[in-house]
Amino acid sequence: MTVWDIAILVPLALMLSMVALWLMGRTAPTAATDETGKQETVFLFRGGILVDHDAANLLLPDAREAETDWARFRRWMGFRFGNLPHGYEDLTDGESLRLLSDGAAQLHLSRQNETVRAVLRDDPPADAAARHAQACHHHDLQSQSLAAQSAPLPVWIMDAVGTVIWQNDSARAIAPRHAARLTGPPDDLPDLGGTLRTRLTLTGEGGAADQSYDLHVTRTESGTIHYAFDITRLIRAETAQRDFVQTLSKTFADLTAGLVVFDRAKTLAVFNPALTDLTSLSPEFLSARPSLFGFFDALRDRMVMPEPKNYASWRGQIADMVKSATGGLYHEVWTLPSGQTYRVTGRPHPDGAVAFMFEDISLEVSVTRRHRLQMDLHQSVIDRLEDGIAVLAQDGRLLFCNTTFGEMLGIAPDVTFAEMRLHDVISACSARYPDPGLWPEIEDRITTRRLVATLHDSAGPPGQKGADVRVVPLGRGQFMLCLKSRESASTGAVGLPAR
């Protein structure tokens, strides 16, 4: 062969090689197919380690601590083939296992010694529209996965044997010891599609406060989904409220007044022991949490409230009072057939609750009545005196006077709108019994606190009907002014020193 022949044959061989490679690229499929036209992908494991595969894009999940490739493959395939063996040891040597999904996919497993061959077969997309539909589905899955991944509550997806195959960011933030409790198998597995709800209180680590969760376990065809709602703050609020109610109850237990509180639903919420003593209602009845009107109906049946003239109208008044959330106040004094007297006070609250207080004021009313009787008796006595008597306070107010005093001066203090004072009394005395020197002197001495002993004098013009005047200091700045009518001015009297 000459140099000329070589120069011709070498370019020709290169050209034929390029044509052959181009033809191979045109005819080679994108993925291997079996005799039925299904696309297949082969995975080769040896001792649990993935040693080879022909997948175009292998998207196995990230490995966890001490997790084998087979475990990652099992998690990756688990949602379609839930009964995958846990390890290659679970496969019988020399035998094959065929797994079917809910669609057209198939997974064939075969073991030879420590080598496992997994062949995934599935139908290829029919056309561009089918590929687009697959892309849309993938996009939706990504959106849903993002929403679940960033959810503020921990979520775990478990397979049929209790292995975590997915968890979101909130679940990863849970302490491992708590996560183990929250992902543990429930005592009673719910029915398919059902949800089991339990409450767990987990001890905090390193002196931290305990954490409480409402755990919802939903059963699916391939396993379970665990949702953990952190209710720690709610539990603490409930505990604080319970402790506060207990503290109030202990405080109310020492009150002599009966106290009852109705919640926003107008159901009895709190009462103290004094209420049973005052109302004769049994603790069993009160503990049954009667309604507000049921409570008052029971009082009426036991004659522990006065019989209203119109009970329906009275119930309407109570209802109106309860509806008033601000500024409302129910206050009445009940005189009972037993002779006891109760003061009943009701105060509504903005949240719709209402509290009633029952106080036994029988002794207070009795003392007040006795004092009123004594005052009436004293008034009757001084009204029968022939002398006119008036008592003045330290600030000059007229405290009281008898009937004779008013008749002598022609005044009626009880029917006047304004209070009579020292100057008004002195003016009335001067108008009835004129004496330019006496009355100003008496007013001045009383006003300046210079009258320390009883003063006697007479008033009135000579030869006309006058009056004997007596001013008596009573202590604490109070004075008594006495007037006694006299027929003539000839009667002598010991009067003021030189006026």
Side-chain angles (χ1 to χ4, degrees):
M1 181 179 294
T2 63
V3 175
W4 178 254
D5 295 332
I6 295 174
I8 295 175
L9 291 176
V10 169
L12 181 61
L14 289 175
M15 183 177 297
L16 292 175
S17 299
M18 293 177 64
V19 170
L21 290 175
W22 178 78
L23 290 175
M24 290 176 63
R26 288 291 302 271
T27 59
T30 57
T33 58
D34 61 6
E35 63 278 2
T36 63
K38 290 182 178 293
Q39 291 183 353
E40 65 177 25
T41 303
V42 181
F43 303 88
L44 193 62
F45 294 88
R46 184 171 294 117
I49 300 175
L50 181 63
V51 296
D52 196 10
H53 66 86
D54 60 357
N57 295 301
L58 186 62
L59 301 175
L60 290 180
D62 296 335
R64 298 172 181 171
E65 184 177 358
E67 189 177 35
T68 64
D69 290 343
W70 176 260
R72 296 168 59 202
F73 179 75
R74 186 178 183 279
R75 284 200 291 129
W76 187 46
M77 290 287 180
F79 77 98
R80 298 179 79 185
F81 307 97
N83 50 352
L84 267 169
H86 280 273
Y88 71 92
E89 302 90 347
D90 298 330
L91 291 171
T92 303
D93 191 5
E95 293 185 1
S96 299
L97 178 65
R98 181 185 180 190
L99 304 177
L100 301 177
S101 72
D102 54 355
Q106 303 174 6
L107 183 63
H108 294 260
L109 303 176
S110 59
R111 176 185 172 188
Q112 189 70 34
N113 295 327
E114 293 188 356
T115 302
V116 176
R117 185 172 184 268
V119 180
L120 175 65
R121 294 186 175 94
D122 203 350
D123 291 336
D127 52 22
R131 290 182 180 274
H132 179 72
Q134 187 179 30
C136 290
H137 180 64
H138 181 67
H139 174 75
D140 292 342
L141 288 179
Q142 282 186 325
S143 300
Q144 296 170 14
S145 176
L146 179 62
Q149 192 71 41
S150 58
L153 73 155
V155 181
W156 295 268
I157 298 179
M158 322 285 291
D159 61 13
V161 295
T163 303
V164 177
I165 59 177
W166 182 86
Q167 60 182 345
N168 65 353
D169 294 338
S170 297
R172 293 187 182 91
I174 298 293
R177 185 174 64 174
H178 289 181
R181 291 284 307 278
L182 295 171
T183 57
D187 296 334
D188 297 319
L189 195 64
D191 296 333
L192 185 63
T195 299
L196 176 68
R197 296 172 175 84
T198 56
R199 178 169 291 187
L200 297 177
T201 299
L202 307 179
T203 304
E205 298 180 349
D210 294 348
Q211 299 290 315
S212 299
Y213 295 92
D214 262 346
L215 181 63
H216 293 200
V217 180
T218 301
R219 185 177 177 182
T220 63
E221 293 183 354
S222 58
T224 56
I225 305 176
H226 293 228
Y227 305 89
F229 297 84
D230 190 344
I231 58 171
T232 304
R233 298 177 67 179
L234 175 62
I235 294 297
R236 291 173 184 171
E238 291 177 350
T239 302
Q241 182 184 29
R242 184 169 56 253
D243 294 342
F244 179 68
V245 171
Q246 291 177 350
T247 301
L248 287 182
S249 299
K250 293 178 181 178
T251 303
F252 295 158
D254 297 330
L255 293 177
T256 57
L259 181 69
V260 58
V261 179
F262 296 89
D263 58 21
R264 66 176 61 189
K266 304 306 174 289
T267 301
L268 193 150
V270 178
F271 69 94
N272 68 340
L275 184 71
T276 62
D277 298 334
L278 293 173
T279 62
S280 301
L281 297 176
S282 66
E284 292 77 14
F285 172 77
L286 297 173
S287 299
R289 303 188 64 192
S291 65
L292 185 144
F293 288 111
F295 172 80
F296 281 104
D297 286 340
L299 292 183
R300 182 191 181 203
D301 294 339
R302 288 166 175 76
M303 301 181 69
V304 190
M305 62 174 290
E307 184 68 22
K309 296 180 180 180
N310 188 335
Y311 188 67
S313 175
W314 180 84
R315 288 182 61 137
Q317 293 175 7
I318 295 294
D320 293 340
M321 184 274 298
V322 171
K323 291 179 181 178
S324 176
T326 57
L329 177 63
Y330 171 80
H331 181 84
E332 278 193 3
V333 175
W334 291 357
T335 301
L336 307 183
S338 61
Q340 292 177 292
T341 304
Y342 286 176
R343 179 166 52 227
V344 183
T345 305
R347 289 184 178 275
H349 296 274
D351 61 351
V354 62
F356 286 90
M357 181 176 290
F358 296 81
E359 301 173 83
D360 188 349
I361 58 172
S362 303
L363 180 59
E364 177 184 340
V365 171
S366 176
V367 171
T368 302
R369 289 173 179 173
R370 187 163 53 250
H371 177 70
R372 173 61 63 184
L373 290 174
Q374 291 176 352
M375 292 297 295
D376 292 342
L377 178 61
H378 294 165
Q379 186 68 40
S380 298
V381 170
I382 66 172
D383 282 343
R384 298 245 179 337
L385 296 178
E386 295 181 355
D387 295 351
I389 298 175
V391 176
L392 298 153
Q394 182 179 5
D395 59 357
R397 289 179 297 109
L398 176 64
L399 296 179
F400 67 88
C401 66
N402 64 354
T403 304
T404 305
F405 189 87
E407 292 175 349
M408 292 178 67
L409 299 182
I411 61 174
D414 293 338
V415 299
T416 58
F417 291 101
E419 291 183 338
M420 292 194 69
R421 307 189 72 83
L422 173 63
H423 181 73
D424 301 322
V425 174
I426 295 299
S427 298
C429 291
S430 178
R432 181 68 179 83
Y433 304 103
D435 194 326
L438 175 63
W439 299 115
E441 180 69 15
I442 292 175
E443 183 178 2
D444 179 66
R445 289 197 179 190
I446 292 176
T447 303
T448 58
R449 307 289 188 272
R450 290 188 296 113
L451 185 63
V452 295
T454 302
L455 180 150
H456 296 270
D457 209 324
S458 60
Q464 296 182 10
K465 186 176 180 180
D468 291 332
V469 181
R470 188 158 52 98
V471 184
V472 182
L474 302 178
R476 297 183 180 180
Q478 298 178 344
F479 294 89
M480 180 175 66
L481 176 60
C482 300
L483 299 179
K484 183 176 182 180
S485 179
R486 57 182 174 81
E487 295 300 329
S488 66
S490 60
T491 305
V494 179
L496 293 171
R499 306 185 226 161

